[in-house]
Amino acid sequence: MRTGIKTGLLLLAALTALLLGIGVGSVYVPPGDILAIAAGRIFDMPLPDHIPTGYSAMVLDMRLPRVLLAFLTGAALAVCGAVMQSLLQNPLASPFGLGVSSGAGLGAAVVIVMGGAVAGVGTFLMPAVSLMFALGTVCLVLFLSAKLDRNMSNVTVILLGMVISLFCNALMSLLATGSPAHAQRIQLWQLGSFSMREWSAVWALLPVTVVICLYFLRYAGELDVMTFGEEQALSMGVDLRRVKGRLMAAVAVLTGTAVAFVGIIGFVDLIVPHIARRFFGAAHRRMLPACALFGGTFLVLCDLAARTLTPPHEIPIGSITALLGAPFFLYLFFGGRKNG
């Protein structure tokens, strides 16, 4: 099948997922009514008589920002996962191995225990602190990797990332244990959720996602070469230390921003790059945009399942992705051993 046809089908799937995410819920809103409500808000037109007045606020102020935030988060995590798998030449690599999730979780736990979010300091306090902690852990991993290994070999980065992640998780557990009143909230944040998210989160994540995804495309050639190994990249003149440092820093910013707003959501960065690579090939100029569309569509559908499978209760989005991702992880692991 031609790439253009595959891209068209993927765009159609993404649009269908967005319409399902907006329309399906406690009250079903048909696609035609969704478009009529959007047109009414944009062009200041009256709604058709068959659409209740309250549907406008429900669709545009509650469901639409939630669905768009889920799509942006899925796109961000998937693209970052593809970049990390190429940088580290490891099909099981992910941004969270750099300490992004554990650092962001530690920052959120600190804010929750100290009560800053409750004190009314601001809507962006927890995301800001979480992002700073996420970037701090990644900077620490990169700094130590550069000190121990001039070229920042993949093994060095992976091992140091695991050590820092475990250390942050230990600190988070200590905070939760020392403050039982906040332990449940910390645990829920670690499972991720798009519930009650507003337009402010969408406007904060949108420019970061677009800019950094374009930045990754700028390095598509280097990523293609690095996929074949560090020695091959060095022989072709790629400055591994500089390229790795820049791309990992960009991965940290994008992943940290997404995680800071919605909590920790695993396995998206593991599953989606393999699917995109299978259908669109390994060339990053085609594969990265496909990852963004696949990731956004995947997470919108996961969020739809999270809020509709057990009404009126909502399943944490991280539980849905883990249920799908864990078998996929085992398939990759044992499939790789079998092929080896």
Side-chain angles (χ1 to χ4, degrees):
M1 188 181 296
R2 293 181 178 179
T3 302
I5 297 177
K6 294 178 183 178
T7 303
L9 291 174
L10 184 53
L11 287 170
L12 179 61
L15 178 60
T16 303
L18 290 171
L19 290 175
L20 284 173
I22 298 170
V24 176
S26 57
V27 176
Y28 174 68
V29 183
D33 290 355
I34 295 173
L35 297 177
I37 291 171
R41 176 70 65 89
I42 295 172
F43 301 107
D44 195 21
M45 297 167 52
L47 293 176
D49 295 336
H50 70 280
I51 301 178
T53 306
Y55 277 26
S56 179
M58 177 184 68
V59 168
L60 299 179
D61 299 328
M62 297 175 63
R63 292 186 183 178
L64 182 57
R66 174 175 182 148
V67 169
L68 290 179
L69 184 61
F71 190 91
L72 288 172
T73 302
L77 295 177
V79 170
C80 288
V83 171
M84 287 303 301
Q85 288 171 14
S86 297
L87 285 177
L88 301 180
Q89 294 106 51
N90 189 329
L92 303 180
S94 72
F96 297 114
L98 287 177
V100 176
S101 62
S102 56
L106 179 59
V110 169
V111 174
I112 291 171
V113 171
M114 294 181 65
V118 181
V121 178
T123 305
F124 289 94
L125 175 64
M126 184 180 292
V129 174
S130 298
L131 178 57
M132 286 191 295
F133 272 71
L135 294 177
T137 55
V138 174
C139 288
L140 181 59
V141 170
L142 295 179
F143 174 77
L144 294 176
S145 298
K147 286 293 184 181
L148 294 174
D149 186 342
R150 185 175 180 275
N151 288 323
M152 292 197 301
S153 69
N154 299 335
V155 175
T156 302
V157 174
I158 291 173
L159 290 178
L160 285 174
M162 291 176 58
V163 170
I164 299 300
S165 295
L166 291 172
F167 180 72
C168 290
N169 286 331
L171 292 177
M172 202 181 334
S173 299
L174 287 175
L175 286 174
T177 304
S179 181
H182 302 293
Q184 184 177 8
R185 189 178 174 197
I186 293 174
Q187 183 180 15
L188 289 175
W189 192 91
Q190 289 180 287
L191 293 173
S193 176
F194 296 105
S195 179
M196 304 303 292
R197 297 301 186 267
E198 300 177 351
W199 278 106
S200 57
V202 176
W203 297 130
L205 183 56
L206 176 61
V208 179
T209 303
V210 172
V211 169
I212 294 185
C213 285
L214 292 176
Y215 183 74
F216 288 147
L217 283 175
R218 179 186 174 188
Y219 283 93
E222 287 85 347
L223 287 169
D224 288 342
V225 174
M226 295 173 71
T227 303
F228 295 102
E230 295 181 327
E231 293 184 1
Q232 179 74 12
L234 286 171
S235 67
M236 297 189 68
V238 177
D239 188 342
L240 285 179
R241 180 170 178 174
R242 178 179 60 85
V243 173
K244 276 188 177 181
R246 290 181 178 182
L247 291 180
M248 287 182 182
V251 165
V253 172
L254 183 52
T255 306
T257 303
V259 167
F261 279 103
V262 302
I264 299 172
I265 302 174
F267 290 103
V268 178
D269 50 359
L270 177 67
I271 298 174
V272 175
H274 289 278
I275 299 175
R277 198 176 290 112
R278 180 180 181 87
F279 286 98
F280 286 85
H284 287 80
R285 194 163 296 278
R286 293 195 305 269
M287 196 261 288
L288 291 178
C291 276
L293 290 173
F294 265 121
T297 302
F298 174 74
L299 205 54
V300 167
L301 294 177
C302 286
D303 181 56
L304 178 62
R307 58 187 170 88
T308 58
L309 287 179
T310 59
H313 303 289
E314 184 174 317
I315 303 172
I317 184 69
S319 299
I320 299 292
T321 57
L323 286 172
L324 297 173
F328 192 85
F329 182 93
L330 293 175
Y331 166 76
L332 289 177
F333 181 76
F334 288 109
R337 293 186 63 180
K338 183 178 179 180
N339 293 334

